[in-house]
Amino acid sequence: MPGDEWQQFANLRAMLGYMWAHPGKKLLFMGGEFAQPQGWHHEGTLDWHLLARPLHAGVARWVADLNRCYRALPAMHAHDFDGRFEWAPFEHDEPEVLAFLRRAGDQFVLAVCNMTAAARTGLRIGMPIAGWWQEVLNSDASVYGGSGMGNWGGVQASAVALGHMPASAAITVPPLATVLFSTQPIPPASS
């Protein structure tokens, strides 16, 4: 994987966020949940000692929080194959950024994935409804080993149409990151 250690871990977190948000079933091989660099081998054990390192522990927490979000928000897992997925439009062409919506009933999840090492600030994205969209997960949060750049808990979408969407909001997408927004908050993690 290219880049320095921080970029490699950021890329991994972004890819995992993309996979969890995208329709389809999820698959991780043993050790992938904490970024074990070597492939698993049947004659050995997993490198659990890596969890003592902050970046590996951050990936493990990211996977745990993705799983919690996946369970709590039906838009993340319901209707995987029946057309309740759509690409979100941008105000300006952003070929390195992917944005898509998942829907279940009146709940929406917007996933925005920045695949470059340059942050995007003030990026206007079309949304299906105006109102508060909570930033439910951000792979660049410091708790996961990221820089801590984000949207301060969420964004306010206004009734300014963009593309085929009746509303839009300006968001910040950190470098090499996946950010998930939802119209429904998720319950806090249990201890």
Side-chain angles (χ1 to χ4, degrees), residues 154-180:
V155 295
Q156 184 70 33
S158 58
V160 175
L162 181 59
H164 63 285
M165 296 288 177
S168 62
I171 67 168
T172 295
V173 190
L176 302 173
T178 295
V179 183
L180 302 178

Side-chain angles (χ1 to χ4, degrees), residues 14-38:
M15 186 278 305
L16 291 171
Y18 172 77
M19 181 172 71
W20 254 255
H22 198 272
K25 301 308 169 202
K26 316 310 170 200
L27 175 65
L28 274 183
F29 290 97
M30 294 176 63
E33 68 275 21
F34 60 89
Q36 177 174 301
Q38 271 62 41

Side-chain angles (χ1 to χ4, degrees), residues 123-170:
L123 180 63
R124 186 158 291 279
I125 296 181
M127 297 172 156
I129 60 173
W132 180 253
W133 287 66
Q134 180 180 353
E135 184 181 75
V136 293
L137 286 177
N138 178 345
S139 69
D140 193 54
S142 55
V143 69
Y144 305 126
S147 67
M149 179 183 274
N151 294 277
W152 300 100
V155 295
Q156 184 70 33
S158 58
V160 175
L162 181 59
H164 63 285
M165 296 288 177
S168 62

Side-chain angles (χ1 to χ4, degrees), residues 1 4 6 15 48 56 60 62 71 82-83 92 115 141 148 168 172:
M1 186 178 285
D4 61 23
W6 186 89
M15 186 278 305
W48 292 111
H56 291 274
W62 175 241
R71 282 189 309 270
D82 68 357
H92 302 290
M115 303 305 188
S168 62
T172 295

Side-chain angles (χ1 to χ4, degrees), residues 4-183:
D4 61 23
E5 184 181 52
W6 186 89
Q7 290 176 329
Q8 292 170 353
F9 277 87
N11 268 316
L12 177 61
R13 292 189 309 269
M15 186 278 305
L16 291 171
Y18 172 77
M19 181 172 71
W20 254 255
H22 198 272
K25 301 308 169 202
K26 316 310 170 200
L27 175 65
L28 274 183
F29 290 97
M30 294 176 63
E33 68 275 21
F34 60 89
Q36 177 174 301
Q38 271 62 41
W40 176 77
H41 191 272
H42 65 88
E43 292 181 5
T45 63
L46 294 177
D47 295 334
W48 292 111
H49 65 278
L50 293 174
L51 286 170
R53 297 181 183 170
L55 290 174
H56 291 274
V59 170
R61 182 165 185 177
W62 175 241
V63 169
D65 287 349
L66 283 168
N67 284 333
R68 183 172 57 87
C69 185
Y70 191 81
R71 282 189 309 270
L73 299 174
M76 293 282 288
H77 61 265
H79 312 292
D80 262 355
F81 305 104
D82 68 357
R84 308 239 176 126
F85 164 94
E86 67 182 301
W87 296 105
F90 295 103
E91 184 175 40
H92 302 290
D93 187 33
E94 292 288 340
E96 301 88 9
V97 179
L98 303 172
F100 55 89
L101 290 149
R102 301 284 309 271
R103 175 174 55 98
D106 61 352
Q107 178 198 90
F108 293 91
V109 170
L110 171 68
V112 185
C113 309
N114 182 0
M115 303 305 188
T116 69
R120 298 292 195 265
T121 58
L123 180 63
R124 186 158 291 279
I125 296 181
M127 297 172 156
I129 60 173
W132 180 253
W133 287 66
Q134 180 180 353
E135 184 181 75
V136 293
L137 286 177
N138 178 345
S139 69
D140 193 54
S142 55
V143 69
Y144 305 126
S147 67
M149 179 183 274
N151 294 277
W152 300 100
V155 295
Q156 184 70 33
S158 58
V160 175
L162 181 59
H164 63 285
M165 296 288 177
S168 62
I171 67 168
T172 295
V173 190
L176 302 173
T178 295
V179 183
L180 302 178
F181 298 92
S182 177
T183 55

